[in-house]
Amino acid sequence: MTGETTPLFNPRTQRWSDNFTWSSDATKVEGLTIIGRATIVCLRMNNPVILVAQRRWTISSWHPLDD
């Protein structure tokens, strides 16, 4: 968004909950930090196919998992 280079989220050294949260309907990942937002965009974490799957998982109570 800003055009600046930023590192992507590293699950080995960073906590998911510090960088991401779920939307109110638990279908979209939302970035809390610049690292989170950059990771969502680069990895296309909210692409339409994933959103459909996450919606179905939410209905089945499989998603979201506790951190």
Side-chain angles (χ1 to χ4, degrees):
M1 294 172 86
T2 64
E4 293 181 37
T5 300
T6 188
L8 297 181
F9 173 70
N10 182 344
R12 293 181 179 172
T13 60
Q14 298 169 311
R15 287 175 26 108
W16 192 93
S17 60
D18 291 341
N19 292 281
F20 306 98
T21 191
W22 290 104
S23 62
S24 60
D25 64 356
T27 58
K28 289 186 180 183
V29 180
E30 297 176 342
L32 298 174
T33 64
I34 192 166
I35 290 171
R37 290 186 294 273
T39 301
I40 290 168
V41 171
C42 282
L43 299 182
R44 297 187 58 218
M45 293 171 70
N46 288 323
N47 75 60
V49 174
I50 295 295
L51 295 179
V52 169
Q54 288 175 172
R55 191 169 297 114
R56 290 179 180 165
W57 297 337
T58 300
I59 292 168
S60 300
S61 299
W62 296 347
H63 171 76
L65 298 175
D66 294 328
D67 188 20

